[in-house]
Amino acid sequence: MKPVTGVVLAAGLGKRMKSKRAKVLHELCGKPMISYVVEALKPVCDSIIAVVGHQADAVQDALRNEVHYAYQREQLGTAHALLQTKCLLQGFKGNVLVACGDTPFVTQGLFRELLGYHVSSGAAVTVATFHASDPTGYGRIIRDASGELKSIVEERDATDQEKGITEVNSGIYCFDCDSLFSALERTDRRNAQGEFYLTQAVEIMIRDGLPARCFVVNDPGIVEGINDRRQLAAAQKRMRLEILRKLMLSGVTVEDPETTYVDARATAGQDTVIRAGTRIEGASVIGEECDVGPDTCIIDSKLGNRCKVWYSVIEECILEDDVQVGPYSHLRPNSHLENSVYVGNFAEIKNTRVGEFTKVHHHCYLGDSIIGKKVNIGAGTVTVNYDGKRKHTTVIRDGAFVGCNANLIAPVTIGEGAYVAAGSTINKEVPEEALGIARSRQENKPGWAKKFLGRG
Ligand code: UD1
Ligand code: CA
């Protein structure tokens, strides 16, 4: 078969989004909408070109070297956009699949079927069309008496009679490369929007006597475009439920799909339960048999198997197996909890490694620390890691016991098996197996209360 190049048109700003950000960069379930289009094209194409213009740099940052780029300096219309790929496609003898960057529900299957139909029917151009319940805003498909494609009329150029047509242009096409560029170069701006229309190029090809076909898409949902933020919200919900559906079919329990958010790139293993009000964002990986939520947020983190996390926030952390966190704890970036670590409520842990079987009880702050195995961190323990200028490291070795409400002024080390007495403010090393105690001695005054209250 002839080679195939995919072209994604993505130079427009998307005025109706009322955004400073290019429309195709708006995210659905944590992924820019253009990435969905590129991913659907990728398996069908030998190479892909994105036509960029508005915020070209940001679009290139999002897609990186997954695609080649053509630059459209001024947005003069869809034909003009496609014409910008001429240099890159010089001498290319194959088919060109054209899509827009704002239709994130397109599938690999659609592109494959469209291409297959185009090749087997020997067409020079095939337009993917669908029957819209509300055709407003779309180009209408005009067929001749024998049902062959004659032209595509944009809404703003259409007569009232043409506006009544419900078969519309999806904006997805397959072209023979040579015929395409010859037609693109002959488009003009004589239309209501003063733009170079790609739809005019189709009409020019038909006038040239080249075979043109329509490929009718049965499920209009997959070619649905996003133009404004209401459609973005509706698309977000649809994508979210689709992700949850796949998770559930793969063996994950989703307690309340209505309130659960899992990003497109996140994964969860078999028999994991995701409870109500939970978000799993970014490239998070949740292992098997975990119990996550309710009301938990996990961002770009990796959880092993059998972890339990409830009412907590975890960002950019690694949790090994059988770790428990919460309720109401916050694990901040670059924390690594080894197997069977227990973190209680209202704890904050940042940039800290915690060894296996260590227990971190309530109201603790551990920052910039290295904590060994089987350590007990008493309630209210604080690593005093910041002196106003720099951050310092606290090291607590295996088996140490830190009593409640200790302040550990970093840099400081608590030796293996050492004890820190409750209420101590420690600023010197506590050697292994020693007791570090740093608090003023208690004094008792016999009979003081009785006298104070005048009781006899
Ligand atoms: C276009 C079609 C219309 C079709 C509809 C489907 C034309 C003239 N009309 O209309 O028949 O029903 O898509 O959604 O083609 N773009 C550029 N550079 C430009 C202009 C547009 O890159 O100069 C890109 C946009 O970023 C967008 C895509 O092309 O991704 C479509 O442009 P848009 O203005 O949304 O076209 P529609 O008016 O929707
Ligand atoms: Ca438009």
Side-chain angles (χ1 to χ4, degrees), residues 4 49 54 84 204 266 270 299 324-325 352 365 378 395 445 454:
V4 182
I49 302 168
H54 266 287
Q84 309 311 308
I204 291 170
Q270 193 180 34
I299 305 167
Q324 266 195 64
V325 177
T352 287
Y365 172 62
V395 178
K445 302 190 171 177

Side-chain angles (χ1 to χ4, degrees), residues 9-227:
L9 303 182
L13 174 65
K15 288 193 199 86
R16 284 166 287 179
M17 291 299 279
K18 303 271 165 64
S19 175
K20 295 190 186 87
R21 211 170 155 66
K23 176 166 75 178
V24 296
L25 292 177
H26 282 261
E27 291 186 351
L28 285 183
C29 300
K31 207 158 76 173
M33 54 176 113
I34 192 171
S35 295
Y36 290 94
V37 181
V38 170
E39 274 165 33
L41 273 172
K42 216 186 276 174
V44 187
C45 298
D46 299 288
S47 72
I48 299 176
I49 302 168
V51 181
V52 295
H54 266 287
Q55 293 177 8
D57 289 349
V59 178
Q60 280 177 253
D61 281 349
L63 298 178
R64 279 176 275 183
N65 56 8
E66 281 178 73
V67 302
H68 302 280
Y69 296 95
Y71 186 66
Q72 186 192 24
R73 200 151 48 86
E74 247 188 309
Q75 281 67 62
L76 301 178
T78 43
H80 181 258
L82 197 48
L83 200 50
Q84 309 311 308
T85 64
K86 193 180 168 189
C87 278
L88 288 170
L89 289 175
Q90 203 83 57
F92 178 72
K93 299 277 172 229
N95 289 307
V96 180
L97 270 173
V98 177
C100 298
D102 62 357
T103 54
F105 295 102
V106 285
T107 58
Q108 171 194 158
L110 169 69
F111 289 127
R112 226 180 262 292
E113 285 172 32
L114 173 64
L115 181 68
Y117 181 76
H118 175 82
V119 171
S120 64
S121 69
V125 52
T126 305
V127 182
T129 70
F130 65 98
H131 291 277
S133 47
D134 175 11
T136 312
Y138 287 105
R140 309 296 203 278
I141 299 296
I142 314 292
R143 293 179 183 257
D144 65 16
S146 57
E148 295 296 319
L149 176 61
K150 200 171 130 203
S151 65
I152 303 169
V153 181
E154 290 307 293
E155 165 109 6
R156 287 170 63 180
D157 303 293
T159 62
D160 283 345
Q161 198 198 345
E162 287 165 339
K163 280 187 187 147
I165 295 171
T166 56
E167 188 184 3
V168 298
N169 172 19
S170 68
I172 296 170
Y173 319 77
C174 193
F175 291 98
D176 165 62
C177 188
D178 283 339
S179 324
L180 170 64
F181 283 96
S182 145
L184 285 176
E185 281 166 347
R186 286 179 279 152
T187 57
D188 60 53
R189 299 168 77 169
R190 277 174 294 190
N191 53 57
Q193 301 189 75
E195 291 182 358
F196 295 99
Y197 284 172
L198 179 51
T199 46
Q200 190 193 8
V202 175
E203 195 176 334
I204 291 170
M205 293 170 78
I206 295 169
R207 291 242 189 81
D208 285 350
L210 295 169
R213 297 273 177 277
C214 289
F215 176 81
V216 184
V217 180
N218 288 324
D219 174 10
I222 65 173
V223 292
E224 208 168 89
I226 295 171
N227 291 309

